Amino acid sequence: MTVTQPSERLEIIVFENEITPTHLADRIDHRSLISGNVGSKGLSTGIATFQVGAMLPLHTHPTSEVIIPLSGKIRAIVEGRRYLLEQYDALHIPRGIPHCVHNDLSDEPVTCFTVFATEQPTREWVQSGFTIEDHDATSSSVPEHLTRMSTAPVYELAEAALFRDLFTDQMGSRGICGGYGKFQPGSSLPCHIHGYDESITIVEGEAVCQVAGQEYTLSNNATACVPEGRPHRFINRSNQPMAMIWVYAGDEPDRTILDQCCCEQAESAKPV
């Protein structure tokens, strides 16, 4: 029987509607989901809401960032290269690269999922000096990388659980990787652990998050932070599809499969 040693850190469950937003810029608010403030290591995730016409001015970060629209369309400008991002497209921007984000296409607020390769993200505002040119895709000649949800390769991680990798080391990201997973009713992943922290946000439907004998019901952007080495899995017990955005504090996806009992039983009750 495969077992695992208990993790010193416990999982954290965060509900978006319980988070007090912070003000990023004029008509732009941000809700931090996972960060060092709740105990994560090596990553942070959140949701930024852009009101109609709002623009986050040009800035840089000291770590990698990924921007993923959850609703509507939005434009991101990286060193003057302007990209139209649609739902679940993922734009990875390396550290130190100037960029801004503008909700100038939608007549409704747009929400964007944000990922940083640090538990305490910071930004530095910079002056604009770039000529704007529209781009449909990225190439090896530019530092950023855009993955289109519509063309990302699909693979079956478990029966009726289809996944897409949206940003990884092979796509140029550093310190973080992640993607989108969709579970049909009744599907689930096997119990497993990772060698780094993970953030999982339920963006569609309802999921059961099972962690070392505990169960949590998550929906509406509720997020689980599962520490390195803590057994967990996700189950769709509903009669509708469920989808998640998952993020690891590592360059490439990695998992070790465990016996199901490691997720179903409390760690103190597991055989040694």
Side-chain angles (χ1 to χ4, degrees), residues 214-226:
Q214 300 293 321
E215 286 196 353
Y216 309 91
T217 300
L218 308 180
S219 63
N220 298 317
N221 297 329
T223 299
C225 177
V226 182

Side-chain angles (χ1 to χ4, degrees), residues 41-55:
K41 292 186 177 180
L43 85 163
S44 57
T45 61
I47 295 176
T49 301
F50 292 73
Q51 299 299 320
V52 176
M55 182 173 187

Side-chain angles (χ1 to χ4, degrees), residues 31 35 43 54-55 68 91 108 110 167 179 181 188 195-196 234 269:
R31 286 176 167 83
S35 71
L43 85 163
M55 182 173 187
I68 304 174
L91 180 65
E108 296 181 351
V110 174
F167 52 101
S188 66
Y196 30 67
F234 282 80

Side-chain angles (χ1 to χ4, degrees), residues 200-245:
I200 311 99
T201 300
I202 304 305
V203 295
E204 301 171 30
E206 181 180 278
V208 172
C209 173
Q210 199 174 69
V211 189
Q214 300 293 321
E215 286 196 353
Y216 309 91
T217 300
L218 308 180
S219 63
N220 298 317
N221 297 329
T223 299
C225 177
V226 182
E228 171 187 358
R230 192 149 179 80
H232 63 283
R233 68 176 185 138
F234 282 80
I235 311 164
N236 184 0
R237 290 180 180 156
S238 75
N239 58 5
Q240 299 293 327
M242 172 270 286
M244 63 172 60
I245 292 178

